[in-house]
Amino acid sequence: MTTSTVQTATAKKPRSTPKTPDSDRAKAENALGRKLVAPAIVLMLVVTAFPMIRALYLSLFDYSLTDPDERSFVGLQNYVTALTDSLFWRDTANTVMVMVVTVAVELVIGFAFAMVMHRVIFARGLIRTSILIPYGIITVVSGFAWQFAFSADNGFVNGWLPFVGADFDWFGEYGSSIVAIMVSEIWKTTPFMSLLLLAGLAQVSEDMIEAAKVDGATWFQRLYKVILPNMRAAIMVAVLFRALDAYRIFDNIYVMTAGANGTESISFLTYRQVIEQFQLGIGSALSVLLFLSVLVVAFLIVKVFRVDLSSARQEG
Amino acid sequence: MSAMKQKVGLTIGLVLILLWCLLPVAWIISLSFKSQTAITNGSEGFLPQAGGGAGWQNYSDVLQDEQFRRAILNSIGISLIATLLSVVIATLAAYAIARLEFRGKKFVLTTALVIAMFPVVSLVGPLFDMWRTLGIYDTWPGLIIPYMSFTLPLAIWTLSAFFREIPWEMEQAAQVDGATSWQAFRKVIVPLAAPGVFTAAILTFFFAWNDFVFGISLTSTETARPIPAALSFFVGPDPFSRPASLLAAGAVVATIPIVVIVLLFQRKIVAGLTSGAVKG
């Protein structure tokens, strides 16, 4: 740990002092660097920044594709409509709930998986191959698999769970529908979480864990005082990525309930307005709101985690 | 004693992970072998019951379905092209980020970060509109372009993290030893970089293959509709009479490429991780 920090620090040092006037070499490097990243940056901006600006523009109009000639400027009216509609808030609350629950469950299970994968010496190839399968499977397929599994007519879940009746209809009401959706989401993405955490675990120095052991730290103490603080960055990245991904939840809901029983997510609402109802004006406003809410979520996670983890570090 | 306990614990953990990963896969395979009549009459339980099996019937039905075959072809073509282009572009960018000092590096990384967070659905409306104007709505390029854009951040990150680990001094060392710069690059750097590039390619391919939102929004016919979208439309408008076993067979067929890739590339990833050259 100490050696690696020293190494990166010294390796970075000469590079992070570009105060001296640019040499020819530095200029050439500058030009080459820009040339090499140009295709990537252009492509990314053409497909995201430009359409987003267009969405921002379209969101100011009352604009329906079924009636394109009737397009009229309405200012912020679409935003007012969206933000005063209880549907928007219900779907947002639903999305946040799904995000918090799935990420929390995935973090715990994913960490357990990562611990096993980190320690296991036999069957490494088998386990790595297996863990890549849920990650690779099409979300739509996993949605179908779980929908059929939860089905009262053709599924196995009711038969395996002792506390539900054999003919319990999982998709009959909000609570059980959303549970089924979250199970599908958690199943598919926990492996991704565990792979990210496994990479983080590999960064934790065995020497430090060993030293803590010699000092008499229990397993839990080693976990909380040595392993977790040293995995801070990996955990944060994993949570941030998964949370934002979960916030965009769409496929599972589309396949499993199509938004029935109030299981609609904010992405689903936006999709419905734009693609199914061709309401480009209000749909664009929803697109912008969706994007802004993702930024808020990202900001909050980054904030919360910094605070949380730096305090955890101080006590350690 | 403690080592024994640990080994038992790990074995249990291993079994649990395997169950977690493979149970739903086994379930959908089992479902795909159930007969339509068994499904219609309600076939609870995990495995096909006696008399309720369909053999390969569902598979041959699915494979004879023209729309399904077309969707598989679309998915393979679109995903492969998007992966190839995206990885090439990402490799250039990642190389620059890992090795060169240039202004705008932060901008690239920030842009990539923002795009990785981007709610895909936000873009569907404007892209739908733009693609129709440009005439690439419901075509392969109409999907390849968004796929590339959305896989680039992932590929750039994976690759630049990977490239940072490569001891680039080895290239100079080889040159000192008498290799030309091309030889030094090809014989020293390419073998070290290849596993990272493969990893990025797999992730990119998975993303493209898995995409659903663009697939249903930016296509309207079978000319470009990829397999996830086709599967969801396969269902028909009435969710209560979904052809479950047929759909399961289709889902298994659509999953085979992923499994094949995982099996094939797994060795490359492991080899890349264990080659030791990077650390040694």
Side-chain angles (χ1 to χ4, degrees):
Chain A
M1 159 79 193
T2 26
T3 43
S4 73
T5 13
V6 170
Q7 270 171 6
T8 42
T10 46
K12 284 241 169 92
K13 216 155 207 163
R15 289 190 162 187
S16 57
T17 47
K19 295 288 169 223
T20 47
D22 285 359
S23 63
D24 283 350
R25 194 190 149 79
K27 267 186 202 152
E29 211 171 83
N30 212 350
L32 179 64
R34 284 175 173 206
K35 236 178 257 168
L36 290 176
V37 297
I41 207 85
V42 167
L43 196 73
M44 289 194 287
L45 293 181
V46 162
V47 179
T48 52
F50 182 69
M52 208 59 225
I53 291 165
R54 204 172 143 71
L56 208 56
Y57 170 76
L58 286 178
S59 70
L60 303 176
F61 290 87
D62 180 11
Y63 179 29
S64 166
L65 273 186
T66 50
D67 202 2
D69 300 329
E70 289 294 295
R71 187 166 114 170
S72 62
F73 184 81
V74 292
L76 295 176
Q77 189 52 50
N78 284 327
Y79 292 94
V80 174
T81 310
L83 290 172
T84 51
D85 194 330
S86 63
L87 204 61
F88 176 83
W89 294 107
R90 185 200 71 183
D91 290 359
T92 302
N94 197 30
T95 312
V96 170
M97 197 275 294
V98 167
M99 176 185 79
V100 171
V101 173
T102 56
V103 173
V105 173
E106 284 171 24
L107 193 59
V108 174
I109 301 178
F111 189 75
F113 281 10
M115 291 285 268
V116 171
M117 285 194 284
H118 187 60
R119 290 275 168 238
V120 89
I121 327 148
F122 46 99
R124 275 206 161 162
L126 173 71
I127 206 162
R128 285 222 187 99
T129 308
S130 313
I131 207 109
L132 284 172
I133 287 177
Y135 174 63
I137 271 184
I138 304 172
T139 315
V140 171
V141 169
S142 96
F144 279 135
W146 285 106
Q147 194 208 14
F148 293 136
F150 278 105
S151 138
D153 298 331
N154 295 307
F156 64 88
V157 171
N158 284 353
W160 286 17
L161 291 182
F163 49 86
V164 296
D167 55 357
F168 180 69
D169 181 10
W170 285 85
F171 300 103
E173 46 149 13
Y174 171 77
S176 50
S177 305
I178 206 78
V179 166
I181 289 170
M182 289 194 294
V183 165
S184 173
E185 181 83 2
I186 291 168
W187 174 72
K188 181 165 153 58
T189 48
T190 298
F192 176 68
M193 185 73 111
S194 69
L195 287 175
L196 289 180
L197 295 175
L198 179 64
L201 263 181
Q203 307 272 309
V204 180
S205 133
E206 286 295 323
D207 294 350
M208 277 172 62
I209 301 174
E210 211 47 51
K213 216 181 210 171
V214 171
D215 288 348
T218 63
W219 186 84
F220 269 107
Q221 282 172 331
R222 295 201 298 271
L223 182 67
Y224 278 101
K225 307 257 164 153
V226 182
I227 299 177
L228 290 180
N230 279 295
M231 286 176 66
R232 194 173 89 247
I235 294 174
M236 188 178 142
V237 166
V239 167
L240 185 67
F241 270 46
R242 270 303 306 141
L244 295 175
D245 208 32
Y247 196 84
R248 297 180 287 204
I249 185 167
F250 178 82
D251 306 14
N252 274 323
I253 294 176
Y254 186 100
V255 168
M256 294 177 78
T257 64
N261 306 322
T263 53
E264 191 171 77
S265 70
I266 194 75
S267 279
F268 200 97
L269 176 68
T270 311
Y271 169 83
R272 226 159 34 85
Q273 289 300 318
V274 178
I275 300 296
E276 286 182 1
Q277 310 195 357
F278 300 114
Q279 299 298 329
L280 270 190
I282 184 98
S284 295
L286 284 170
S287 297
V288 173
L289 289 173
L290 175 60
F291 178 58
L292 290 179
S293 59
V294 165
L295 285 185
V296 169
V297 169
F299 177 78
L300 285 178
I301 290 172
V302 170
K303 272 274 173 235
V304 166
F305 261 72
R306 282 230 177 101
V307 171
D308 216 340
L309 287 161
S310 60
S311 64
R313 220 171 149 208
Q314 273 159 12
E315 60 174 36
Chain B
M1 174 57 200
S2 159
M4 185 65 195
K5 227 169 96 187
Q6 197 185 21
K7 190 150 191 192
V8 172
L10 282 179
T11 312
I12 294 171
L14 195 94
V15 171
L16 285 177
I17 296 178
L18 289 181
L19 266 180
W20 176 280
C21 296
L22 302 178
L23 185 81
V25 180
W27 157 246
I28 199 114
I29 292 173
S30 155
L31 196 59
S32 73
F33 284 107
K34 291 180 180 176
S35 73
Q36 283 303 317
T37 30
I39 291 281
T40 319
N41 297 335
S43 149
E44 292 162 45
F46 199 83
L47 295 171
Q49 282 146 2
W56 294 98
Q57 190 55 44
N58 291 320
Y59 285 90
S60 72
D61 286 353
V62 156
L63 290 173
Q64 272 161 20
D65 183 89
E66 185 53 40
Q67 295 197 4
F68 182 85
R69 282 201 303 220
R70 184 68 221 190
I72 278 278
L73 273 182
N74 285 339
S75 264
I76 292 175
I78 293 171
S79 304
L80 280 182
I81 295 170
T83 301
L84 188 72
L85 294 175
S86 170
V87 166
V88 168
I89 292 175
T91 303
L92 298 179
Y95 174 84
I97 288 165
R99 241 202 128 178
L100 303 176
E101 213 36 65
F102 63 98
R103 269 180 245 119
K105 192 195 262 193
K106 268 227 172 93
F107 176 71
V108 180
L109 288 170
T110 317
T111 310
L113 182 75
V114 173
I115 289 173
M117 300 181 338
F118 222 92
V120 181
V121 171
S122 275
L123 293 177
V124 151
L127 282 181
F128 175 75
D129 210 28
M130 277 165 61
W131 273 197
R132 284 181 335 131
T133 319
L134 292 172
I136 55 169
Y137 174 74
D138 200 25
T139 64
W140 279 27
L143 286 178
I144 290 171
I145 294 168
Y147 288 180
M148 280 172 72
S149 167
F150 272 87
T151 53
L152 273 174
L154 188 67
I156 290 175
W157 268 334
T158 314
L159 282 169
S160 56
F162 204 89
F163 286 174
R164 256 182 226 124
E165 298 289 310
I166 292 179
W168 298 96
E169 307 80 39
M170 276 172 70
E171 194 183 20
Q172 283 170 335
Q175 279 174 300
V176 171
D177 287 349
T180 64
S181 38
W182 172 244
Q183 277 177 327
F185 179 74
R186 221 193 69 79
K187 298 258 161 108
V188 178
I189 298 304
V190 172
L192 289 177
V197 176
F198 276 121
T199 312
I202 298 166
L203 299 179
T204 303
F205 185 86
F206 281 1
F207 177 96
W209 190 261
N210 189 20
D211 160 74
F212 183 60
V213 176
F214 290 131
I216 51 170
S217 318
L218 301 178
T219 65
S220 58
T221 66
E222 58 198 64
T223 49
R225 184 172 289 151
I227 190 69
L231 280 176
S232 84
F233 288 121
F234 209 52
V235 174
D238 180 8
F240 296 105
S241 65
R242 279 183 168 169
S245 53
L246 211 57
L247 202 56
V252 171
V253 174
T255 306
I256 288 170
I258 293 296
V259 175
V260 169
I261 287 169
V262 166
L263 291 174
L264 276 182
F265 284 84
Q266 175 58 31
R267 270 202 219 119
K268 295 226 150 102
I269 302 169
V270 173
L273 289 173
T274 53
S275 64
V278 174
K279 300 238 168 84

